[in-house]
Amino acid sequence: MSGSSRRVAVVLGARGMLGSELLRRAPKGLEVFGVAREEADVSRLDSLRDYFRRVQPAIVVNAAAYTAVDAAEQDRAAAFRVNSDGARNGALAAREVGARFLHVSTDFVFDGKATRPYGEFAAPNPQGAYAESKHAGELAVAAAGGDWQIVRTQWVFGARGKHFVGAIARAAAERDRLTVVADQRGCPTCTHDLAPEIWRIAEEAPAGLYHASSMGECTWHELACEIVKLLGRATRVDPITTEDWNRMKPGSAPRPAYSVLEKLHLERTIGCHMPHWKDALAGFIRRGDQ
Ligand SMILES: NC(=O)c1ccc[n+]([C@@H]2O[C@H](COP(=O)([O-])OP(=O)(O)OC[C@H]3O[C@@H](n4cnc5c(N)ncnc54)[C@H](OP(=O)(O)O)[C@@H]3O)[C@@H](O)[C@H]2O)c1
């Protein structure tokens, strides 16, 4: 399928929130194939092997994941099948065809007890089934060898898929008053900025572990207030605690109280091009992507 002059890249999880943006923002000079679950199921090594042998990718970006954080508490096996076995299968199959494997991971690998941004080599201590399955995936990718990169990101929103920004925008249109958790800090990151950054890392950065998220930090409550302000709504946003939330939604998975990512490795290698989260959010709302 691939000619000698063109470089092929494959995006796994191409219909997801990040995967779909990776396709839209494919760099010039790369022929990018988006792969959905029906074409290549990451939980099946043979299905990835077949696909990679056919298209001979130089780069594989793994945006496929089991992302139902709360449901994972009840279905650990499903989360591990995709997030851990799937990551290992992708890394092994990519290695077999000599492709670089860029695996997308999460701030949830950290326990959230820090009070300053987590560096790339801070010790993970995942809490909850989703977090543990994602951490297991990171370990599996590194153990598979080959030319691997892991890119951790956080608090993602984008033009497709379900996310906090869309949920608050919809709720603010319908209700006068919202309650939002005010004791978890992270950094909202838009796929519009993250997708090109991931392509730059895949094409230009050395192998290894990276953090890629917006600049700055905030709580979910501060983010909700900013969304409401930018949309010109009068909706009142009241702060609540994680404890209040868990009382309202029993069975919720644990979430890190603090998970801001430091982007030192990115800054020291190819530079970090991520905007401040407020600029990213303003652009998102200006484009009408919510
Ligand atoms: N969303 C966030 O806030 C966030 C934060 C930090 C890190 N991340 C990470 O970012 C990455 C992308 O997340 P996202 O938010 O874009 O997730 P998403 O919208 O849920 O997309 C995940 C995609 O993976 C696909 N998939 C699931 N199981 C699969 C399988 N067995 N084989 C092949 N494809 C499969 C899904 O396919 P179907 O459409 O068929 O279900 C879906 O299209 C993930 O690694 C996630 O852990 C996300």
Side-chain angles (χ1 to χ4, degrees):
M1 215 160 163
S2 71
S4 55
S5 59
R6 66 195 183 136
R7 295 179 77 228
V8 168
V10 166
V11 174
L12 303 172
R15 269 207 302 262
M17 176 161 59
L18 178 57
S20 56
E21 192 70 20
L22 283 163
L23 287 191
R24 263 199 297 273
R25 311 297 299 274
K28 289 191 187 73
L30 270 186
E31 184 170 5
V32 180
F33 292 95
V35 188
R37 192 199 296 251
E38 304 76 47
E39 285 172 282
D41 183 333
V42 298
S43 63
R44 289 183 39 226
L45 179 57
D46 57 341
S47 122
L48 292 175
R49 273 187 174 140
D50 288 350
Y51 191 84
F52 293 174
R53 276 192 200 129
R54 267 190 288 133
V55 305
Q56 290 293 318
I59 295 170
V60 175
V61 179
N62 184 23
Y66 179 106
T67 54
V69 175
D70 293 323
E73 294 299 304
Q74 306 308 319
D75 199 356
R76 245 183 112 74
F80 272 78
R81 208 158 39 238
V82 180
N83 295 343
S84 171
D85 301 354
R88 184 201 56 217
N89 292 339
L92 287 174
R95 196 189 69 185
E96 285 170 11
V97 294
R100 162 164 280 188
F101 186 71
L102 186 154
H103 175 69
V104 181
S105 192
T106 172
D107 57 329
F108 273 47
V109 298
F110 298 117
D111 62 17
K113 292 187 181 140
T115 49
R116 54 181 296 274
Y118 282 101
E120 289 82 349
F121 300 105
N125 184 23
Q127 308 290 307
Y130 166 78
E132 286 170 25
S133 71
K134 290 295 291 182
H135 181 234
E138 292 188 354
L139 296 176
V141 168
D147 178 10
W148 61 264
Q149 294 176 318
I150 292 170
V151 179
R152 293 187 187 130
T153 189
Q154 63 184 143
W155 291 29
V156 180
F157 60 99
R160 297 237 186 110
K162 284 191 197 156
H163 49 75
F164 181 85
V165 177
I168 293 295
R170 279 190 302 280
E174 290 162 8
R175 309 210 313 250
D176 302 335
R177 193 180 153 217
L178 308 175
T179 54
V180 179
V181 169
D183 58 1
Q184 291 172 23
R185 290 188 84 73
C187 188
T189 301
C190 187
T191 57
H192 182 82
D193 314 304
L194 180 61
E197 196 76 336
I198 284 177
W199 283 122
R200 260 180 8 94
I201 294 170
E203 290 204 288
E204 298 169 26
L209 174 59
Y210 295 87
H211 288 174
S213 56
S214 290
M215 310 305 286
E217 58 179 79
C218 64
T219 64
W220 292 114
H221 177 258
E222 286 164 343
L223 173 56
C225 291
E226 191 70 14
I227 296 164
V228 166
K229 187 181 94 186
L230 287 168
L231 289 171
R233 302 264 173 208
T235 315
R236 197 174 121 185
V237 187
D238 290 333
I240 58 168
T241 64
T242 300
E243 223 179 315
D244 296 333
W245 175 263
N246 290 340
R247 256 197 305 273
M248 283 155 44
K249 305 258 182 196
S252 295
R255 283 160 168 80
Y258 183 93
S259 64
V260 180
L261 299 173
E262 186 178 54
K263 291 160 276 286
L264 264 188
H265 197 201
L266 194 53
E267 279 157 10
R268 286 180 185 162
T269 51
I270 57 169
C272 176
H273 289 52
M274 298 297 288
H276 192 278
W277 69 266
K278 282 194 179 178
D279 296 328
L281 180 67
F284 183 74
I285 286 177
R286 213 170 32 242
R287 290 191 298 278
D289 282 346
Q290 69 281 9

